[in-house]
Every structure is written in C-alpha cells, then in structure tokens.
Amino acid sequence: MKPESPDHDQELRELGVSRGFSILDLVLRMVAVVGTLGSAVVMGTTDETLPFSTQAVIFHAQYNDIPTFRFFVIANATVCAYLAVSLPMSIYHVIRTRSAKSRALLIFLDATMLAVLTAGASAAAAIVYLAHKGNASANWVAICQQYQNFCSRITGSLIGSFAAVFILILLIPLSGLVLSRRR
C-alpha cells in the first residue's frame, strides 16, 4: 500500500474547507429566504384602523397606501423567490465543490439581488423613520403615536429585510473566497 502524499492531504483539506463554505452558503440562503419571506408577508398584511373612526371619517393605514412600501414588498418577494430558486444550485455546490461557472453566476445574481433588496429596504426605512419622527420643517407629523400596531409591524418587517441584506453581503465574498481557493 502506497502512503498518501502531502499534496493529496492538502487537497483533501481544501476540499473539506470548500465543502464547509458551501454548506454555510446553503444555510445562509435558507435564513435569507425566511427573512425576506417574513418581511414581505408582514409588510403586505399590515393595516390598522383607529378605534375612534366615525362613519364620515375613517382613519385607516395600510401598507399599500404608500408606494414605497409596495416596492418594499415586491423587492422582498422577488429576492425571496430568487433565493429559493438558488437553493438547488447551492446544494449542487455542496456536492460539487469545484464548480466555478455556476458559483460565478451566483455571485453576479447575488450582487444584483443585493442591490434590489437594499433599495427596497432603504426606501422603506426612510418612510418608517418619517412615520416615527415626522418632519417639522415639512409639516409632516409622526403617525406612530396613533398607529402603533401599524408602525411596529412595518418596523419589524425592516429587520428581516436588513438581515437578508447582511446575509447577501456575506454570501458574495464567501462565494468569491471559494472560487479563489480553486486551482
């Protein structure tokens, strides 16, 4: 029986590290799916009617009253769908750690989805800030004292979305690192 060469041992270690990174990629994608799906669902189902409404005047707040929130829901749903579709490719990378073209494609698509999600989450964050603080110089009053449930739900939906942004920020260099380790 021939002893293993040091190069063979090094190659096995690198293969194990690449597989570990691929598993981490898969887990992070699944967490991001949950974050974006939760954000889209929470924001998309948010509405509140104030209890002191009269028949003549109803005080009602819905997410779709604000176009920025509609964009937020669409962006999160789009990124969620992309992440769900990318899961099989991520599983493929666990099995085939040396595949480079599909990993490079994921880097490009992850960067694109990062831009979409960041735009949606940032725009919604600006509106949520105005809902909480208002803007005295523009005579915009803060509505969160009246619509507390509405504001807590839209604020909560931002958390899942920004968590997914952070995960996408991690996924891009992670995939690049695996690609760079390839010989």
Side-chain angles (χ1 to χ4, degrees), residues 27-81:
V27 170
L28 288 174
R29 284 181 192 282
M30 288 190 285
V31 171
V33 166
V34 172
T36 53
L37 179 63
S39 292
V41 168
V42 168
M43 182 68 82
T45 59
T46 298
D47 72 53
E48 183 177 4
T49 303
L50 293 179
F52 54 85
S53 301
T54 65
Q55 280 189 324
V57 178
I58 297 176
F59 297 101
H60 190 80
Q62 283 184 297
Y63 91 96
N64 61 356
D65 292 336
I66 302 168
T68 304
F69 289 163
R70 286 195 301 260
F71 172 62
F72 176 84
V73 170
I74 292 168
N76 274 278
T78 302
V79 173
C80 180

Side-chain angles (χ1 to χ4, degrees), residues 91-112:
I91 292 168
Y92 174 75
H93 290 146
V94 172
I95 298 165
R96 297 265 202 171
T97 57
R98 295 193 181 265
S99 57
K101 291 179 182 175
S102 59
R103 197 173 295 275
L105 176 64
L106 274 183
I107 290 173
F108 173 75
L109 294 173
D110 286 349
T112 303

Side-chain angles (χ1 to χ4, degrees), residues 80-137:
C80 180
Y82 158 74
L83 287 166
V85 167
S86 73
L87 286 175
M89 196 177 297
S90 188
I91 292 168
Y92 174 75
H93 290 146
V94 172
I95 298 165
R96 297 265 202 171
T97 57
R98 295 193 181 265
S99 57
K101 291 179 182 175
S102 59
R103 197 173 295 275
L105 176 64
L106 274 183
I107 290 173
F108 173 75
L109 294 173
D110 286 349
T112 303
M113 292 299 126
L114 173 62
V116 169
L117 191 59
T118 302
S122 298
I127 300 301
V128 170
Y129 178 82
L130 285 174
H132 281 284
K133 303 288 184 185
N135 185 329
S137 59

